[in-house]
Amino acid sequence: MLSRSMTTTALPQRQMASRRLRRRSSAANAYLFCSTNGCPSFLELDPATGLATCPICGLVRRVS
């Protein structure tokens, strides 16, 4: 049984949104994203040392 908030038109929209979020999260794993306290930048990788550094906030993360 569907509640009032989950009408027959809302259900496909919710399913579509959840698929979109799954695609987005799997694609985001390919990038080194800083996300420290809302920092909106990607980390810069130094292949010689194996460290990734954020150019804005200075976060350093070891990458394997």
Side-chain angles (χ1 to χ4, degrees):
M1 182 172 150
L2 297 174
S3 65
R4 284 185 178 170
S5 62
M6 291 299 293
T7 61
T8 55
T9 58
L11 190 60
Q13 292 173 351
R14 181 177 174 173
Q15 291 171 341
M16 202 168 22
S18 66
R19 283 193 299 269
R20 187 170 50 247
L21 286 174
R22 277 196 305 264
R23 282 194 306 263
R24 186 177 298 157
S25 67
S26 66
N29 292 336
Y31 299 107
L32 294 171
F33 190 65
C34 181
S35 71
T36 303
N37 293 329
C39 183
S41 65
F42 290 107
L43 300 176
E44 296 175 350
L45 180 63
D46 182 12
T49 61
L51 296 176
T53 312
C54 177
I56 295 177
C57 69
L59 173 81
V60 178
R61 184 181 299 164
R62 181 167 299 279
V63 179
S64 58

